[in-house]
Amino acid sequence: MKKITIFILIFCSYLVTGQTTSVLINNVQIFNGKDEKTIVGNVLIVDNLISKISTGPIYTDKSANTKIIDGKGKFLMPGLIDAHWHSIMTANTLEDLMTGEPGYAFIKSGNEASNTLLRGFTSVRDLGGPSFGLKKAIDEGIIKGPRIWPSGSIISQTSGHGDFRNINERPVSLDGHLHHSEIIGGATIADGKDAVLVAVRENLKKGASQIKLTAGGGVSSVFDPLDVSQFTEEELRAAVEAAEDWGTYVAVHAYTPRAVRKAITAGVKCIEHGHLLDDETLKLIGEKQIWLSMQPLDSTTRAGSNAEQKQKKYDVAAGTDRIYSSVKKYKLKLAWGTDLLFDPSANAKQTATIPAMSKWFTPFEVLKMITHDNGELLAFSGKRSPYRAGKLGVIEEGAYADMILIDGNPLKNLDLMGDPEKNFILIIKDGVLYKNAIN
């Protein structure tokens, strides 16, 4: 009687979801995200979690409607994680967002979310933008896309990296009006401790898993030079305290030693970028076990809309080699991300910088960074993490069934990661097959 009841429940689940309740992937070379040594074995997925991993045969109940896939000895690894992504801003140009119809921009973002998943990214940490609605649509299965850890609006001071107003627009504090970027949830201009507290709490209210502030000058912003520091220590500390009250952390956009050291003094636990840091500050980051979320920027190009922005891009990118070369010396907790934004044509190259990382790291170190290590950073959100039923960035029993199957071994040839359309033959997120080019 018990077996009959189980069968009925499984069958009904299949009718409702249209998905099999379990997937068995046989004969794959398994990279678990943590260990350089791989094993040849089989992986059983039940619902959205990894149920069993074995070097021997895995037997399943014939009534369980299991989809069986012959992995043909291919390379199975955890789904990729982009630790610095902008789900809305990367799908649109700045003009789209500032002067266009919001509905159009959000529809484009939904389409780009699907493309992101098909590039093998099963999770992203969104570091600024109105991604709450997109996340909800993905979680409810309305559209396809990666898991999203949203920050909500970018919190910026007046004249800061997140201030998208033109030179003639006054802030609300000076009897001006909310800017369009604030109305759509892309940014919040906050000056003073009280305003920062409100901005942080508003993002947390909407479901932010972490908080993002701009603590220094930026490349894409028009009015702030790279060398400037932004927000007072009191303002930064207020943001940290409000975030910690909710059990999560603050990440700050910052490049320079002064901006980063002020943020660290205020209690910030994650630095985004940091390409212009000196050895003393890098040592401090390592000693305090603060996360450094970096991007391997290319200094050979001076992309930008004007000469000043092109130079800022070059100056920042030129620091990439020195910072990556210091990672092991100072024992830095390093995350990897792309930070693509305002150029939708560039998104197809989201994995392109992965092979470039071989200049500083072994293939194993790179693969571990973009899976297990980034997964550890996602977990840093604690109870504010929107996905806590299983671990991410690893292939182990009880972890989320987020994984990709690769035609070739990236531990031996990291260049395979640069062409996901060709080389990623199986993409699974939350136990669901979104790409299957092996059968």
Side-chain angles (χ1 to χ4, degrees):
M1 183 66 182
K2 185 177 180 180
K3 289 185 177 180
I4 293 175
T5 302
I6 292 174
F7 173 78
I8 291 173
L9 289 173
I10 291 173
F11 182 68
C12 289
S13 175
Y14 174 74
L15 289 177
V16 171
T17 64
Q19 300 291 338
T20 56
T21 58
S22 60
V23 177
L24 176 59
I25 307 174
N26 288 321
N27 185 27
V28 285
Q29 186 176 357
I30 303 170
F31 169 65
N32 65 10
K34 300 181 295 183
D35 303 311
E36 187 168 7
K37 185 178 180 180
T38 62
I39 64 169
V40 175
N42 314 300
V43 178
L44 176 64
I45 299 168
V46 176
D47 294 327
N48 65 338
L49 301 178
I50 297 172
S51 175
K52 187 173 183 179
I53 301 172
S54 176
T55 56
I58 297 177
Y59 300 100
T60 61
D61 189 337
K62 291 183 179 180
S63 65
N65 194 39
T66 300
K67 180 176 180 62
I68 300 176
I69 297 174
D70 180 4
K72 301 178 182 179
K74 307 295 185 183
F75 188 91
L76 187 72
M77 66 175 289
L80 307 181
I81 299 171
D82 193 327
H84 194 124
W85 189 244
H86 295 276
S87 305
I88 308 301
M89 296 177 182
T90 196
N92 293 277
T93 65
L94 184 59
E95 184 179 9
D96 286 337
L97 289 171
M98 295 301 106
T99 64
E101 165 58 44
Y104 169 73
F106 288 117
I107 289 172
K108 287 182 67 179
S109 301
N111 181 67
E112 185 54 47
S114 177
N115 294 336
T116 303
L117 178 60
L118 292 178
R119 289 191 289 269
F121 290 91
T122 52
S123 294
V124 297
R125 189 175 63 130
D126 191 293
L127 265 295
S131 62
F132 296 116
L134 177 63
K135 175 189 176 297
K136 185 175 182 180
I138 293 171
D139 290 347
E140 292 180 356
I142 297 171
I143 59 175
K144 300 174 182 178
R147 303 176 191 273
I148 296 177
W149 274 253
S151 300
S153 65
I154 299 170
I155 301 175
S156 170
Q157 68 171 42
T158 295
S159 77
H161 180 57
D163 186 346
F164 294 100
R165 296 172 304 122
N166 67 43
I167 198 70
N168 297 313
E169 292 175 296
R170 296 166 67 86
V172 173
S173 60
L174 295 179
D175 297 323
H177 301 284
L178 286 175
H179 185 256
H180 181 69
S181 62
E182 297 180 274
I183 293 171
I184 66 173
T188 300
I189 306 300
D191 295 300
K193 174 183 175 180
D194 291 345
V196 169
L197 286 173
V198 172
V200 171
R201 290 167 178 166
E202 186 68 11
N203 278 339
L204 291 168
K205 168 188 172 183
K206 292 178 179 178
S209 49
Q210 64 283 320
I211 297 298
K212 164 74 175 296
L213 277 77
T214 58
V219 174
S220 60
S221 42
V222 177
F223 303 114
D224 55 338
L226 280 176
D227 62 285
V228 303
S229 298
Q230 297 172 10
F231 286 118
T232 65
E233 188 178 312
E234 180 186 46
E235 290 170 322
L236 292 169
R237 185 175 287 111
V240 169
E241 185 176 357
E244 289 182 347
D245 283 344
W246 280 57
T248 188
Y249 68 95
V250 168
V252 296
H253 161 106
Y255 290 110
T256 65
R258 186 176 191 278
V260 169
R261 293 178 75 87
K262 184 163 62 169
I264 291 173
T265 301
V268 168
K269 298 296 193 299
C270 185
I271 306 299
E272 304 299 319
H273 314 310
H275 293 72
L276 303 179
L277 295 178
D278 56 20
D279 283 1
E280 184 180 359
T281 307
L282 289 170
K283 181 181 179 181
L284 179 65
I285 290 173
E287 290 173 346
K288 290 186 172 293
Q289 288 293 284
I290 292 167
W291 280 95
L292 179 62
S293 176
M294 277 274 292
Q295 303 78 41
L297 301 178
D298 180 11
S299 63
T300 61
T301 60
R302 283 180 164 86
S305 59
N306 58 53
E308 183 179 357
Q309 285 184 318
K310 289 178 181 179
Q311 185 62 45
K312 288 199 291 184
K313 166 71 184 302
Y314 175 81
D315 291 342
V316 166
T320 301
D321 182 74
R322 191 176 62 81
I323 302 301
Y324 277 142
S325 298
S326 302
V327 167
K328 295 175 184 178
K329 177 180 179 181
Y330 296 115
K331 299 179 181 179
L332 301 178
K333 294 174 65 173
L334 187 66
W336 173 90
T338 55
D339 193 24
L340 300 176
L341 72 167
F342 302 141
D343 183 6
S345 66
N347 295 336
K349 299 179 181 179
Q350 190 177 4
T351 64
T353 60
I354 296 176
M357 297 286 286
S358 62
K359 179 179 179 181
W360 305 281
F361 306 100
T362 68
F364 164 66
E365 289 170 335
V366 175
L367 295 185
K368 179 174 177 287
M369 191 186 308
I370 62 180
T371 56
H372 170 271
D373 295 355
N374 278 359
E376 291 289 297
L377 177 54
L378 295 183
F380 200 44
S381 294
K383 291 184 178 180
R384 300 290 76 77
S385 171
Y387 313 98
R388 301 194 304 277
K391 291 183 68 175
L392 284 150
V394 293
I395 293 181
E396 62 181 44
E397 293 179 1
Y400 277 117
D402 293 6
M403 57 190 73
I404 54 180
L405 190 67
I406 300 176
D407 188 9
N409 186 342
L411 285 173
K412 297 180 179 179
N413 180 13
L414 198 58
D415 288 342
L416 293 167
M417 304 300 293
D419 191 348
E421 183 177 0
K422 176 184 176 182
N423 300 320
F424 295 3
I425 54 180
L426 194 71
I427 297 175
I428 299 175
K429 189 202 89 173
D430 214 34
V432 178
L433 277 74
Y434 286 94
K435 179 179 179 180
N436 184 1
I438 198 170
N439 291 337

